[in-house]
Structure formats: structure tokens, C-alpha cells
Amino acid sequence: KLCGYLNKLGIKGPIKTWKSRWFFYDENRCHLLYYRTAQDINPLGSIDLSSASFDCKVENGEGAFEIRTPSRVFTLKAISKQAMMYWLQQLQMRRWEFCNAQSRFPVGSSQLVNEPLASGTSVVDNEDFLPPVKTPTEAVGLKAASLPAPQTSTALQNISLKHPWTEIQNTVHSICGSKQLWGNNGNVFNFSEFQERPENPDEEQEAEVEAGCAGKEGTLEDGRMEPRLNWIRKARWMNSGFPGLPEEQSGERNPMDKVSVLQQQILMLTEEVKSQKELVKLLHKALEAAQQEKRVSNMYLTAVEEKDRLELVRHKVRQIADLTSRLEALEQEKKELEEILTLRDSHIQELKEHVQLLMEKNHAKQEVIMALTEQMARELSDPLQEANTIAAETLYKQQEEIEHLKDDIDAYKTQNQFLNSEIHQVTRLWTSVAENEKALLMKCACLQARNCQMESKYLTVLRKLQEAVPGLPRSHAELVRNLIQEALQWDVKEEAEEGFNLNPVSEYDEYGFMTVPDYEVEDWKLLAKIQALEIKSNNLRSQEVVEKPLRDRWNSVGELSPSAELKSLIRSGIPVEYRQRVWRWIVSQHCSRMPDHYQRLLRQSKSTEHPACRQIELDLPRTLTNNKHFSSPTSQLIPKLRRVLLAFSWHNPAIGYCQGLNRLAAVALLVLEDEESAFWCLVHIVENLMPADYYSDTLITSQVDQRVFKDFLSEKLPRLMAHFEQYRIDVSLITFNWFLVAFVDSLVSDILLRVWDAFLYEGTKVIFRYALAIFKYNEEEILRIHDSVEIYQYLRFFTRMIMDGRKLMNIAFNDLNPFPMKLLRNRRSMHREELEAELRELEQIKAAYVKERAEQRP
């Protein structure tokens, strides 16, 4: 058992006093309980060691050390330096054992959580910071419980007036000793009814007043104090001469030892009686006041008639008035006495000043006498002897100073060793807590991912039931519709009230896109929510395995420069915090910004209205309607988008404005934020990445890309292409818009921005690869549909069936045996010649038809 007497520093305003307390370590709660004496049964307070740190300062004196808790600093003092170091080492060890025991997860936890904790539960290594300290048996342990408590200068100094009932209980238990056990039916006191529990143990101060009282948590009612009472009684009875001592133990002692022990007990009980007398006087005064009040109340209650009661009340009022007048007279007398006291203080101050002046004169005279005496002594004494005396005194002072410095050095060495030990252990505890927290976060992520998957499956089942609604009974159909409506309701507040959420599905993502777009078709809403849940589940599962290593690789990237490693990183997706920087760098690599060019274009657009201005105004409200930054006409990004599109129409008069450019510029604005950077990003896409005439009036190059894509689709996915040809499906009706706006409004933002990362860096071949990957991702589902109308309906929303962006990326860049840019250029050249020939043939047919119609006219 870790127990013993220590001095505790009690602070009451400016008054600081040391009070002797018996400390006992409770290993079940990792609390250090303190009592007035070892024989007390109820603690005065407790110190929570589980989150405490320890410190020993040389400035506080020998044997003093501090226990720092989050709410308070406790200053304690041992009888010696050895005892102090023993207490500190033992408290460190007990804290380590308790924290490790608490950090272990209960049986049944998943293997994912238990594995990271295995390294944190090992026993503390033998550290070289501080050698083990031998147990000071005279100050610590059971033997110390039989010794009398250290004496104080006054009887009341060591008493806690904050808890009188606790003091009475402890005193009665101490007096009874072995004659009467606690809780005996013959006991006239039932203290369990009178135990006071402090409402705020952190603010309690003994006055004694001392803080930190954990109060009565250690009473016999919960059985926690029973072991402590047993060993205290045993220690006291083994070393006392009370009648309950066994004969075989008392026979071992000689009479002198018995006399010594009895004398010690007499001294201890004498001090107890003195303190209790003072306490009884205080209680008598309180009792007399209470009895007086009781007599008055009884007279009022025993009065039969209302007149008698009224007379008692009037008598009470007269007493109150009399007391009020007496109080006023006393206050007046107090003021007069204060004035007299002030006059006397001023007179005393004058006398003190006069005495001080006389003392200064006397001191000056004495100094003169001493100086003359020393001078005479020096003249009479031998000069050599005087020099030897001075040298001896100087040497003695230096030796004393050296000894003091050595003691200080030893004390600071000990303090440094202990602090190193404390820092080492606290660091290990912090590491253990961090590992536990990481394991809990991983477990939470796994549970949330599993929850998202289950919710997604539930929504999928609802969607299947929705398809079967026409064949269900009316009541069942109504139930299905109600369940679907409940599933589509989005209440972020309810999710926030549920408590901690590691990675919640918020209503909007980082760039303002709605996580579940507000589609008019109910089935599309259901699909969008299923997709959001699945994407969240995949993100949670890949955090530690994929996202964290990828983020670490991005953190190690310094200055950006073209390389295979950077290409691989960009294909994997740029983290949100790096995306703006990387996009700016990509645009600057291909577009040389002309100073003041964008501002000049803005001035031109203000002075002269562009022919495309009307079409731009029509397209602005239709831009990214599922994004909160563009959904409202008053959004701050709407004016920026207008200026970017007008500036581009003046910058490239050959194109001016084409529907689709508004979406490209809007995505650039969301990521780059600066409108000039978004303008140059749009220039980079239209003039560098896309082929010429891609956004011209004829959109000839866009049509060419659709033919090239069909060729690649036939080569990479022949079964799917044959299926389309069998049911006469023209995929260009679906894919044309993909190529024109680079999948904007077709893919969810999480996947869309990864596509754009690679698209800005590598060019249009990325669009071909992802378009093929989307069909490959849903190939089996499409092959199961054998109706052309159903196929077209499925192709309208099948991009909403993509749940795993990583899987789509692997298909695009690895599984489909990607093609080089050279092959894409050759295919474009071939199909462009064919398309131009077809267009020329159509022009000839049109010209011949017009000529024929003109000749037929009369």
C-alpha cells in the first residue's frame, strides 16, 4: 500500500499554511485520498492522478513537490528528500499502470482496433533517468500509520472546519477504536444520514480551507472504504495497548515499549480532545441559536387564537425594531470609534516617526563609536595577525559558499533526472493515447462506411420496390411512397445532433456542389442519394490505405516540374488544398499571360457590346444549377462568370461564345477563385487542349471526336458496341455533351474534378479514356437490357450509378490498354477528311436541289 504522512499547502487568500495530512493511494480510481490522520475513515479530499503531472522545484524547499491536475496545483512536502523521490517514483508508476489498464479495449473489439494498441500496453522500460529509491519505512507504509500525526503549533490549525460532520465522524471512530466497530447498532450516531457531499470539489479549500475534496465517495455504502478500514484498524491495533489486542502479539512486547506506545497515544488523544473542545464550543453556539428559534416557533404554533398569534408577531416586530435601533446605535458608535482610531493611528504614526528619527541618530552614533573602536583596535593589534584573521574569515565564507553550491548542484541534478523521467513517461502516455485515438478513428470510419453501405442498400431496395409499385396493393404502394419520401428528406441538423461524426455527408461539398442534387424526377433523387452514400463509404474505407499515403506523397512534392511521378500523382487526384496551386501551374506552363490583357478586354466589353452578350445572359442562370455559388442570381460568382465570358468573346473573335463555355469557365472559377486565372484556364482549354473548330459554329471537330470515340468503343468494348448496333443505339446522343463540356453536369463533383486534374495536364485523350471507362463500368448492366427505349432511359442517368472513383480511374488508365496521343491524332485526321467530304457532298446536293427548284419556277 502506498500511504503516509505529507504536509499539504493550504491557501486561504493571502494566508498560506502547511497542514499535516495522511495520504492514501486508491488504485481502483487512480486517486490520491488525503485524511487528517491515519485513523480517520472519511477523506477530506482527493487528487485525480490519471491526468496529472508531477514536478519538484528546488525553490520550494527540501522535500517539496507539486501535483498538477487540469483544475488545480497541489503542493506537498515530504519529511526528507528520499521520501519525496520515493513518492514521486511510486506515483509515476501507479499512473502508468492505471493509464495502460484504461487504454485497453474490452473483449469483443475488432482486430482492426486491437492491433495498434498492442505496442502501448507494455510494461515501462527500466529507465536510466532516475535510479530506484529505497522505501523510507519510517515515513511511508503501514508502520507509519501507527505513529502519531506530526504536531502543529495550535490545536485548530490542523482541523478542517469546512466539514464538521466529517470531523465528528472521524473523531468518534478514533475514540471508539477497537471497542465498537463502525455501523454497530449500539452506536448512537447514524452518520450515513449526515454525510455532506460538496457540490463542487474543484473549488473546495480547507480553512483550513483546502480544495479537491472528492468527498464521500469512499464511504462504506459502496464498499470502497472497507479494505482501507481493515488495514488501518489492523495497523493501529497491532501497535497499540487497547484491550482488543491479541494475547500472542502483546506478549511479544516488553513493558517499556508498551509504556512508550501508550504515552504516544495519550499525547495524540490529548490533542484530539483540545481540538474537539474548540469544535464543541462552536457547535454549542449554533445549537443555542437554533433552540431560541425553536422556542419562538413553538409559541407561535401553540397559540390557539389568531389574536395571540398576531400578538406574537407584533412582539417579534417590536423585537426587530428594537434590534434595528440597537444596530444603528452600534453602527454610530462604530463610526465614532473608527474616527478615534484614525486619530490615534495618526498620533501613533507621528510617534513612530519620532522614534525612528531617534533610532537613526542612535544608530549613527553607534556606528561612529564602532568605527573608532575598530580603528583603535587596528592600531593596537599586530598588522600580520589582522591580515591572517581576514584571510581565515574569507576562506571560511568561500568554503561555506562552495558547500551551498554543491548542495544546489546535487538538488538540480536530482530535479533534472526526475523531470527527464517525467517527460519521458508523459511522452509515452501521449503516444499511447494518440495510437488509441487513431485506432478509434479507424474503427469509427469502418463503422460509418458500413452504415453508409447499409443505408445505400436500403435505398436500393426502396428503388426496386418503387419499380414494382404498380403491381402492389394500394396500402403497400402508399407505404413504399412514404418510405421513399422519408429517405429523400435531407436534414443536416438531425445528423449534427446525433453527436460526433467523423466525415458527415453534408448538403454541399468543398466547392459548393449539392451532394444530392434536387432533381425533378424522384427516381433520380433516389439514385443520387445512393451514389452519395456509396462515395462516402468508399472514401472512408480508403482514407488510411489510399488517401493518407497519397497525401503524404503530395506533401513531399516541392517545386512543380513535369515528370512521370507528377503525372501519376495528378491521375490519382489532387487533394483539395493543392488543387488550386497545381491548376495555376499547369495553365502558366501553356499560356503566357500578357500584362493587363484581361483588364483591357474588360474595358472593351464595357465600352462596346459584343454580339454574344445576349446569349451569355441567357446561359448564366442555367450554369451549374446544382452549385450554391451559381444557383442564385445574386451569387457573387455570377458577375465574375459574366466578365470572364465577355472577355473571352473579345479575346477569340473567331469563336466568340459557344454554349458549354459557361460551364467550363464556372468550374475554373470554383477552383481558382480569381477571375483572371479562370479566364486564362478557359483560354488554355479552348486554344491548347481542344482541337481547332471544336467550339465553332459547325462544331465539326466535335462531330469528328464522336466518330473517333465509336471506333475506340468498337475496339475496346466489342460486345457492348454490338449490343448498341443490334438495338440501333446512337451513343453520340449521350456522349456529345460529355466531350463538349468535359463531363460537367454528368459526373459528381468528387469524380469530375479528378477527371479535370488529368484533363488539364494531359489533354483530350483523358476524356476519351474516361468515356470508355464509364461504359466499361456499367457494361454488364447495359447488356442485361434488351429494349432500345429502356437502354436510352438507362444511358440518361447511368453516370449516377458510378460509386467508386478509384475503380473508374483504374479502368481508364490501366484496364483498357490505353492508347497514345499519336493514334488519336491519326484517327481524327482520317475521320475529319471523311466528314468534310460528306459535308461537301451535302453542299453539292443542296446546291443542285436549290438550282432545280429555281428552274421549276415559272
Side-chain angles (χ1 to χ4, degrees), residues 594-796:
M594 293 176 282
D596 201 37
H597 179 64
Y598 179 70
Q599 300 299 329
R600 187 168 62 253
L601 293 174
L602 290 181
R603 289 193 293 269
Q604 186 177 357
S605 64
K606 289 180 181 179
S607 60
T608 307
E609 183 176 345
H610 195 276
C613 181
R614 184 178 178 185
Q615 185 60 47
I616 291 173
E617 291 297 328
L618 290 174
D619 286 346
L620 285 177
R622 296 179 288 191
T623 304
L624 301 186
T625 55
N626 64 338
N627 190 288
K628 65 180 180 181
H629 298 299
F630 295 98
S631 58
S632 172
T634 58
S635 172
Q636 294 182 354
L637 291 187
I638 293 291
K640 291 184 178 182
L641 180 61
R642 180 187 293 111
R643 290 193 291 269
V644 170
L645 295 176
L646 287 174
F648 181 81
S649 62
W650 286 109
H651 171 78
N652 194 330
I655 296 175
Y657 175 75
C658 174
Q659 286 185 336
L661 295 181
N662 58 325
R663 299 177 187 177
L664 299 177
V667 173
L669 265 176
L670 287 174
V671 176
L672 299 174
E673 298 178 358
D674 176 48
E675 58 182 276
E676 185 174 358
S677 299
F679 164 77
W680 287 110
C681 182
L682 182 62
V683 171
H684 172 56
I685 293 172
V686 176
E687 298 181 1
N688 298 330
L689 299 181
M690 295 299 192
D693 300 330
Y694 213 85
Y695 298 98
S696 63
D697 294 337
T698 59
L699 298 175
I700 184 170
T701 312
S702 301
Q703 299 179 53
V704 169
D705 274 0
Q706 294 306 306
R707 298 190 178 194
V708 174
F709 177 70
K710 289 179 181 179
D711 285 352
F712 287 136
L713 195 62
S714 300
E715 294 175 9
K716 305 293 183 180
L717 303 171
R719 290 172 57 224
L720 185 61
M721 193 61 186
H723 189 69
F724 286 152
E725 291 174 352
Q726 179 183 353
Y727 293 97
R728 297 181 180 179
I729 303 297
D730 185 6
V731 294
S732 62
L733 297 176
I734 305 297
T735 59
F736 185 82
N737 196 51
W738 293 1
F739 284 77
L740 194 67
V741 296
F743 297 105
V744 178
D745 285 340
S746 297
L747 295 173
V748 293
S749 59
D750 183 69
I751 301 175
L752 171 68
L753 293 172
R754 293 183 186 181
V755 175
W756 270 59
D757 293 338
F759 165 62
L760 291 177
Y761 188 72
E762 299 184 51
T764 52
K765 66 178 181 180
V766 172
I767 298 180
F768 282 93
R769 289 178 175 179
Y770 270 101
L772 291 170
I774 290 171
F775 281 103
K776 177 64 177 177
Y777 192 99
N778 298 279
E779 181 180 18
E780 298 301 326
E781 290 289 334
I782 298 173
L783 290 175
R784 280 196 286 267
I785 304 174
H786 299 285
D787 181 77
S788 59
V789 177
E790 291 185 8
I791 292 175
Y792 272 119
Q793 288 179 346
Y794 182 79
L795 293 179
R796 286 182 63 196

Side-chain angles (χ1 to χ4, degrees), residues 278-294:
E278 297 290 338
L279 185 60
V280 168
K281 288 179 182 179
L282 296 175
L283 293 176
H284 271 306
K285 291 181 180 179
L287 182 60
E288 289 176 2
Q291 287 176 347
Q292 180 66 25
E293 186 67 26
K294 181 180 178 183

Side-chain angles (χ1 to χ4, degrees), residues 397-576:
K397 291 180 180 179
Q398 289 179 349
Q399 287 178 347
E400 281 188 343
E401 187 177 354
I402 290 172
E403 291 297 327
H404 288 313
L405 290 175
K406 286 182 178 179
D407 292 340
D408 291 343
I409 289 172
D410 292 338
Y412 280 115
K413 282 182 179 179
T414 305
Q415 180 185 5
N416 186 46
Q417 290 174 345
F418 171 75
L419 291 178
N420 287 336
S421 173
E422 178 72 4
I423 291 169
H424 177 72
Q425 190 179 105
V426 170
T427 303
R428 295 193 61 181
L429 287 173
W430 177 84
T431 304
S432 176
V433 170
E435 290 176 355
N436 295 343
E437 182 181 5
K438 181 180 177 182
L440 285 172
L441 290 175
M442 290 175 63
K443 183 179 180 181
C444 184
C446 291
L447 292 175
Q448 283 197 323
R450 194 179 306 167
N451 180 62
C452 290
Q453 283 189 335
M454 294 186 69
E455 190 174 351
S456 172
K457 290 177 182 177
Y458 167 70
L459 295 178
T460 305
V461 170
L462 287 182
R463 184 169 175 270
K464 296 293 183 183
L465 288 173
Q466 186 185 33
E467 295 175 356
V469 161
L472 294 175
R474 183 176 179 181
S475 61
H476 293 178
E478 185 66 24
L479 178 61
V480 170
R481 279 192 289 270
N482 291 337
L483 290 174
I484 291 174
Q485 288 298 326
E486 290 178 3
L488 291 178
Q489 288 177 355
W490 196 280
D491 194 353
V492 180
K493 292 182 180 179
E494 289 184 2
E495 289 190 1
E497 291 173 359
E498 290 177 0
F500 174 72
N501 206 354
L502 181 68
N503 218 344
V505 179
S506 58
E507 190 174 0
Y508 297 96
D509 66 3
E510 298 89 346
Y511 295 102
F513 288 99
M514 293 182 68
T515 312
V516 180
D518 190 16
Y519 293 117
E520 295 181 0
V521 183
E522 193 174 74
D523 191 47
W524 283 30
K525 289 183 182 179
L526 207 55
L527 281 172
K529 191 160 187 179
I530 292 172
Q531 187 184 35
L533 289 168
E534 288 290 339
I535 289 175
K536 178 190 173 185
S537 175
N538 291 327
N539 290 340
L540 288 171
R541 289 182 177 277
S542 63
Q543 270 185 348
E544 291 295 325
V545 180
V546 179
E547 298 297 335
K548 191 174 183 300
L550 181 63
R551 199 172 297 272
D552 292 339
R553 290 175 63 190
W554 273 105
N555 291 336
S556 63
V557 173
E559 186 177 354
L560 296 173
S561 59
S563 63
E565 182 182 2
L566 181 62
K567 182 178 179 180
S568 173
L569 283 174
I570 291 176
R571 284 183 173 183
S572 300
I574 306 173
V576 176

Side-chain angles (χ1 to χ4, degrees), residues 8 19 21 34-36 40-46 72 156 158-172 191 194-217 219 272 275-276 279-280 282-283:
K8 179 175 177 294
K19 302 183 187 323
R21 293 289 179 260
Y34 54 91
Y35 305 76
R36 193 162 63 87
D40 291 349
I41 112 174
N42 291 323
L44 298 173
S46 66
R72 184 178 169 194
L156 282 176
N158 218 32
I159 295 178
S160 174
L161 298 179
K162 187 71 174 178
H163 303 287
W165 279 113
T166 303
E167 288 287 350
I168 294 173
Q169 293 170 32
N170 293 334
T171 303
V172 171
F191 293 108
F194 296 97
Q195 288 182 10
E196 302 177 23
R197 296 178 181 269
E199 295 180 356
N200 192 354
D202 292 336
E203 296 178 358
E204 186 229 303
Q205 290 191 353
E206 293 180 335
E208 174 156 287
V209 178
E210 299 179 18
C213 182
K216 314 305 175 192
E217 294 179 1
T219 61
E272 286 286 341
S275 62
Q276 294 311 314
L279 185 60
V280 168
L282 296 175
L283 293 176

